[in-house]
Amino acid sequence: MAGNSTAIVILAAGQGSRMQSDLPKVLHRLAGAPLVGHALAVARTLEPEQVIVVAGHGADLVTKAVGRIDPDARIVLQSEQLGTGHAVRQALPELEGFEGKVIVLYGDTPFIGEDTLAALAAHPADLVVLGFEAEDPGRYGRLIVTNRGLERIVEYKDADAATREIALCNSGVMALDASLLRQLIVRLTNDNASGEYYLTDLVALARAEGRSTDVVTCDESETLGINTRAELAGAEIAFQDRARQRALEDGVTLCDPSTVWFALDTVIGRDAVIGQNVVFGPGVTVESGAEILPFCHLEGCHVSSGATVGPFARLRPGAELGGDVHVGNFVEIKNSVLDEGVKVGHLTYLGDAHVGEHANIGAGTVTCNYDGVGKHRTEIGARAFIGSDTMLVAPVRVGDDAMTGSGSVITEDVPDGALALGRARQTTKPGLATRLMASLRAKKEAR
């Protein structure tokens, strides 16, 4: 392989007992994605040759989650949690023959940035540690740096008073040549108070071999690890603040930024307008010039330029809105394509449907797509007019330029240009309402 190629090892084996949860820590969600998903996302920005996830506690759940997020990532098992060095060693079989740089990330550290990861990958030293200047160094390990690079890492419990005054701290993230990793990791020992194999001990081993070691620094906020529910909540706030600021800088109008919530992968184009109290779940793209009005929830959908959504609308996975589509208040769209210029004003459910261009969907329309066993599709043609309170019992097709009468139940296909009425004939009984009400009042008074 080329010398500048990279492989990423993500450590995701810990239980996270301080989370007080049966769910593996790395599967707790931040911005709509598992914590490990954030590590996977930034890893892929380097276009690495390999991504390897080391699973342990809840390995089956972690494997399934990683498979959904990044099917090309490889999973290895750390059956006993014996430290970070031991965890990385489990990845060695997957790295056989690889001769580039290996970068070790953590599945519970979601904010490592693309630029920081690129700096680690590009650094010429044989071994590089990611450090940060801590506002409150606390019990972090300290990085001892001289003009010859990184000399050693000193754990807090082993540091003297002078060393504890150092603010440059160890994040745990490391990058090193694969050949050096293979050479040194088998020499790690667990001769320490915890009885674990520490990845940080590689620094001293590398220095003893005369290999170059150095530090890349980043902002402290990038190194935030998640260990408790409170830290997860704080991380969510931090993520949302950054996402809002980034959207504003990219030319998106946020009418009330603090009320808009983004997912990890939300994409919003320039000159889009986002109203108050809008929530973006995973998998949403909003093109330039679209408008999302207040109190909408979007997930797994695509909104084209010029479309308007809401207020109080819900777009579920598979919703595809073409240009200049209008989806109004209390409308729900799921697994449906709405072509250009479609209007769905209010109080409507469209599921498993395709609506042709410039069709009009009246209030209260429902595609009855589920028969209790399977889902069925509804096809609505271009320029069709669906009357208010129409029930479309799928599978069914309403043709181009066709109409349905208000209050109809449509169970058969409607040809192009036809009008379909599917309702019972009205019967009127003169005076009956007056007599019924009088009878009811008399019975009530007699009690």
Side-chain angles (χ1 to χ4, degrees):
M1 293 184 179
N4 60 355
S5 60
T6 58
I8 308 290
V9 176
I10 299 174
L11 305 188
Q15 180 176 1
S17 58
R18 292 168 62 193
M19 296 294 286
Q20 297 296 320
S21 175
D22 295 329
L23 191 69
K25 179 170 63 171
V26 297
L27 297 188
H28 285 266
R29 290 186 173 271
L30 171 65
L35 290 172
V36 71
H38 291 252
L40 287 164
V42 74
R44 285 299 178 189
T45 64
L46 282 184
E47 299 183 357
E49 295 282 347
Q50 296 171 267
V51 174
I52 303 162
V53 177
V54 182
H57 177 74
D60 289 345
L61 294 175
V62 173
T63 298
K64 289 178 182 178
V66 170
R68 288 191 296 267
I69 299 166
D70 188 341
D72 293 329
R74 305 298 298 271
I75 305 291
V76 298
L77 182 64
Q78 185 187 22
S79 56
E80 294 182 273
Q81 278 68 68
L82 300 178
T84 52
H86 178 263
V88 172
R89 187 167 180 175
Q90 310 314 301
L92 288 186
E94 295 293 335
L95 293 169
E96 187 174 352
F98 177 76
E99 296 301 334
K101 182 166 286 188
V102 178
I103 302 177
V104 180
L105 300 177
Y106 294 83
D108 61 356
T109 305
F111 292 142
I112 302 296
E114 294 181 30
D115 291 344
T116 296
L117 198 61
L120 285 167
H123 199 288
D126 297 319
L127 184 153
V128 187
V129 169
L130 180 63
F132 61 97
E133 295 279 347
E135 183 176 343
D136 178 12
R139 302 187 68 83
Y140 286 112
R142 304 306 203 265
L143 301 181
I144 310 302
V145 180
T146 69
N147 57 7
R148 296 193 303 155
L150 176 63
E151 290 283 351
R152 65 188 187 278
I153 301 173
V154 181
E155 298 301 330
Y156 177 85
K157 63 182 182 295
D158 299 323
D160 58 25
T163 302
R164 290 179 180 180
E165 291 298 315
I166 295 172
L168 184 61
C169 297
N170 176 36
S171 72
V173 173
M174 181 181 293
L176 69 166
D177 291 340
S179 58
L180 182 62
L181 174 64
R182 282 190 287 267
Q183 176 188 343
L184 298 182
I185 202 164
V186 295
R187 292 163 52 186
L188 291 176
T189 71
N190 63 347
D191 186 17
N192 52 61
S194 300
E196 295 186 348
Y197 299 87
Y198 292 129
L199 195 65
T200 51
D201 289 346
L202 293 182
V203 174
L205 292 174
R207 298 287 298 189
E209 292 289 325
R211 306 297 287 269
S212 59
T213 58
D214 208 345
V215 175
V216 164
T217 59
C218 67
D219 189 85
E220 183 177 4
S221 62
E222 290 188 46
T223 68
L224 176 67
I226 309 300
N227 297 295
T228 66
R229 303 276 185 164
E231 290 175 351
L232 182 64
E236 186 72 59
I237 292 169
F239 177 92
Q240 297 301 334
D241 286 344
R242 295 179 192 180
R244 293 162 187 152
Q245 186 61 37
R246 187 164 55 248
L248 293 168
E249 292 171 354
D250 289 344
V252 177
T253 294
L254 303 180
C255 298
D256 186 358
S258 66
T259 67
V260 177
W261 286 71
F262 294 91
L264 172 63
D265 59 354
T266 304
V267 177
I268 304 178
R270 182 177 178 177
D271 290 325
V273 177
I274 312 298
Q276 302 91 326
N277 295 288
V278 172
V279 175
F280 295 101
V284 177
T285 299
V286 178
E287 290 188 9
S288 299
E291 182 171 9
I292 313 298
L293 294 165
F295 296 97
C296 291
H297 187 283
L298 296 80
E299 180 179 0
C301 61
H302 179 272
V303 180
S304 295
S305 179
T308 61
V309 178
F312 297 98
R314 185 181 182 197
L315 301 185
R316 292 171 58 193
E320 295 277 344
L321 274 55
D324 299 315
V325 164
H326 171 62
V327 169
N329 51 290
F330 303 105
V331 172
E332 180 178 346
I333 311 290
K334 188 272 295 182
N335 194 31
S336 297
V337 177
L338 279 58
D339 290 343
E340 182 178 357
V342 169
K343 289 181 171 54
V344 191
H346 31 239
L347 302 164
T348 290
Y349 170 69
L350 298 178
D352 300 294
H354 177 214
V355 184
E357 61 182 15
H358 300 292
N360 186 87
I361 311 298
T365 295
V366 173
T367 56
C368 307
N369 57 326
Y370 183 52
D371 62 7
V373 177
K375 298 291 182 72
H376 304 281
R377 290 195 63 78
T378 298
E379 298 285 337
I380 299 172
R383 301 170 302 281
F385 185 95
I386 306 300
S388 296
D389 203 28
T390 295
M391 302 289 110
L392 296 161
V393 183
V396 71
R397 178 183 183 275
V398 177
D400 295 347
D401 302 296
M403 301 176 67
T404 66
S406 296
S408 291
V409 178
I410 303 300
T411 59
E412 299 178 0
D413 289 354
V414 181
D416 293 354
L419 167 64
L421 300 170
R423 60 192 182 211
R425 182 177 297 276
Q426 179 173 318
T427 301
T428 304
K429 304 291 185 180
L432 182 56
T434 303
R435 295 195 298 274
L436 285 172
M437 290 303 296
S439 174
L440 291 171
R441 282 193 292 267
K443 289 179 179 178
K444 183 177 180 180
E445 291 169 0
R447 292 194 185 111

